[in-house]
Amino acid sequence: MRNVLVVISGPSGVGKGTLVDLLLAEDNDLVESVSCTTRAPRAGEVNGREYFFITQSEFRNRIAENDFLEYDEHFGNYYGTPRSFVERQLRSKSVVLEIDVVGALNAKRLMPESAVLVMVTPPSLEELERRLSGRGSEGEEALRERMRRVRYELDQAPLYDYVVVNDDLQRTKREIQEIIRKEKEKQI
Ligand code: 5GP
């Protein structure tokens, strides 16, 4: 059996984070890679759990040192996947990354033998907009910008290996578990 790099993407608010937590809780052979970001922590976020929150200059230094497997910029902030963590873990476990479309495609390009791209989509755009505005963490303009981003991300679904609709967390979790099981058995 091979170890896989499971890349989970999908618009924010779609339930990716909850799904990843459920997957991790039920699989000791799966670990999550925590990304670095230069954005400020949101209420309730803990350094080292959701992200490693670092400064712009630290991020740039780490880019220069080739410390990121991939990185990208969203809303004026950098986000990147630590290379050494992922490479080390993949020797004994599968690794899950929760990253955007550009990052996912880069991960596939850089690690084609390991990366499995899974896009999580909402049952409908209206439902997602309701969930996002319910968070109440940002203003009207930021919400509109996020919805533009959502449409862009969903348009990239054909580039993914799998697209799963998150209509029910437990069902969607099982679908992803099945994808991981099958992918691990593939001979590459
Ligand atoms: P948020 O600020 O809402 O946590 O994340 C904004 C976007 O950054 C999301 O689409 C998220 O998937 C993406 N993201 C988080 N970590 C990484 C990463 O390491 N690399 C890339 N390319 N995108 C990331």
Side-chain angles (χ1 to χ4, degrees):
M1 278 222 293
R2 65 186 181 127
N3 294 316
V4 289
L5 179 63
V6 188
V7 183
I8 308 265
S9 303
S12 73
V14 80
K16 282 172 298 185
T18 313
L19 279 167
V20 168
D21 288 344
L22 291 172
L23 293 170
L24 292 168
E26 292 183 15
D27 186 349
N28 291 330
D29 291 321
L30 185 68
V31 289
E32 182 174 25
S33 163
V34 178
S35 297
C36 296
T37 183
T38 58
R39 84 150 160 75
R42 296 198 186 108
E45 287 183 334
V46 175
N47 190 34
R49 193 178 66 190
E50 283 78 12
Y51 290 104
F52 292 105
F53 298 97
I54 64 176
T55 62
Q56 293 264 353
S57 71
E58 198 177 332
F59 204 103
R60 283 198 209 95
N61 287 341
R62 292 187 56 169
I63 292 173
E65 283 165 11
N66 199 22
D67 266 3
F68 294 115
L69 182 63
E70 61 74 38
Y71 68 91
D72 195 16
E73 204 184 327
H74 305 280
F75 316 112
N77 287 304
Y78 284 121
Y79 294 77
T81 306
R83 175 193 302 283
S84 58
F85 178 86
V86 171
E87 290 180 348
R88 193 174 58 236
Q89 291 293 333
L90 275 177
R91 290 189 210 126
S92 57
K93 294 188 179 234
S94 287
V95 177
V96 60
L97 298 182
E98 198 192 311
I99 59 176
D100 74 308
V101 171
V102 176
L105 296 176
N106 279 331
K108 184 88 180 177
R109 188 171 49 80
L110 295 164
M111 302 187 111
E113 71 298 339
S114 309
V116 176
L117 307 190
V118 180
M119 161 89 65
V120 181
T121 68
S124 74
L125 274 180
E126 293 72 30
E127 164 69 17
L128 183 67
E129 193 160 6
R130 253 197 311 282
R131 283 191 220 166
L132 281 176
S133 55
R135 273 186 182 179
S137 59
E138 54 199 4
E140 279 280 303
E141 183 47 40
L143 184 62
R144 263 197 300 278
E145 176 57 35
R146 248 178 216 278
M147 287 309 293
R148 270 196 290 277
R149 175 89 201 165
V150 167
R151 284 187 204 94
Y152 165 77
E153 295 204 347
L154 293 178
D155 284 347
Q156 314 301 310
L159 300 172
Y160 277 64
D161 298 312
Y162 300 91
V163 179
V164 298
V165 180
N166 188 18
D167 46 7
D168 174 275
L169 272 177
Q170 293 298 328
R171 193 207 61 75
T172 311
K173 175 201 73 181
R174 286 194 298 274
E175 189 176 341
I176 301 175
Q177 284 172 330
E178 190 57 19
I179 290 169
I180 296 173
R181 195 186 61 73
K182 275 207 235 124
E183 285 289 337
K184 281 168 119 176
E185 281 174 1
K186 269 192 191 165
Q187 310 281 348
I188 298 284

